[in-house]
């Protein structure tokens, strides 16, 4: 299985520890892979770390209320998370490569930072607390 690759543009948006020079060095300029088109489903409220690609962003459905979370993984256990819901009016976002698109009114967000790229949304995606325990990622609380 080919490892997803982070574009140089989006690597610049990640903290240095997440971008990892080793990960960037392995990326060919033509590589476009980045997360998945369909959200991953986290059974039992957690997801194996191995199922979340390194140097990429991946939407995950953790189940229950507010289930969609964008995981931004650098290397190893370096994972941060953002809400997978539009800040305009709360619609669930869809991932399209390096962006998250809102099907309701067309807002777009950067999939590495949660920044608004196109309105009507004006607020970035809020951070979500997650915990990496052993080989699992789960939401905090
Ligand atoms: Fe996303 Fe309106 S709910 S743009």
């Amino acid at each position: 299985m080919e490892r997803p690759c982070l574009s140089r543009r989006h690597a610049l948006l990640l903290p240095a520890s997440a971008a990892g020079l080793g990960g960037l060095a392995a990326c060919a300029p033509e590589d476009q892979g980045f997360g998945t088109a369909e959200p991953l489903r986290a059974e039992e409220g957690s997801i194996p770390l191995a199922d979340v690609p390194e140097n990429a962003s991946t939407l995950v459905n953790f189940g229950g209320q507010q289930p969609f979370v964008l995981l931004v993984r650098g290397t190893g256990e370096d994972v941060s998370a953002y809400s997978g819901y539009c800040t305009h009016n709360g619609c669930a976002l869809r991932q399209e490569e390096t962006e998250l698109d809102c099907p309701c009114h067309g807002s777009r967000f950067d999939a590495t930072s949660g920044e608004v790229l196109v309105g009507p949304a004006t607020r970035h995606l809020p951070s979500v607390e997650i915990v990496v325990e052993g080989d699992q990622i789960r939401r905090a609380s």
Side-chain angles (χ1 to χ4, degrees), residues 86-91 93 102-109 119-121:
C86 183
T87 56
H88 177 236
N89 208 19
C91 291
L93 300 171
C102 180
C104 293
H105 311 107
S107 289
R108 297 199 331 247
F109 299 85

Side-chain angles (χ1 to χ4, degrees), residues 1-5 26-28 30-36 53-54 56:
M1 180 176 172
E2 191 169 305
R3 195 178 93 176
C5 181
C27 299
E30 66 276 14
D31 285 341
Q32 296 297 316
F34 197 84
T36 58
E54 290 188 321

Side-chain angles (χ1 to χ4, degrees), residues 42-117:
E43 303 296 339
E44 308 293 329
S46 66
I47 187 167
L49 189 60
D51 288 357
V52 179
E54 290 188 321
N55 300 313
S57 300
T58 305
L59 269 176
V60 175
N61 182 346
F62 276 94
Q65 294 184 337
Q66 299 285 317
F68 288 101
V69 172
L70 177 71
L71 296 179
V72 180
R73 184 175 181 200
T75 57
E77 296 182 3
D78 182 6
V79 184
S80 55
Y82 299 93
S83 167
Y85 291 88
C86 183
T87 56
H88 177 236
N89 208 19
C91 291
L93 300 171
R94 298 177 182 155
Q95 187 167 7
E96 294 291 336
E97 294 291 326
T98 60
E99 295 181 1
L100 297 176
D101 297 338
C102 180
C104 293
H105 311 107
S107 289
R108 297 199 331 247
F109 299 85
D110 186 294
T112 60
S113 65
E115 275 181 45
V116 176
L117 299 175

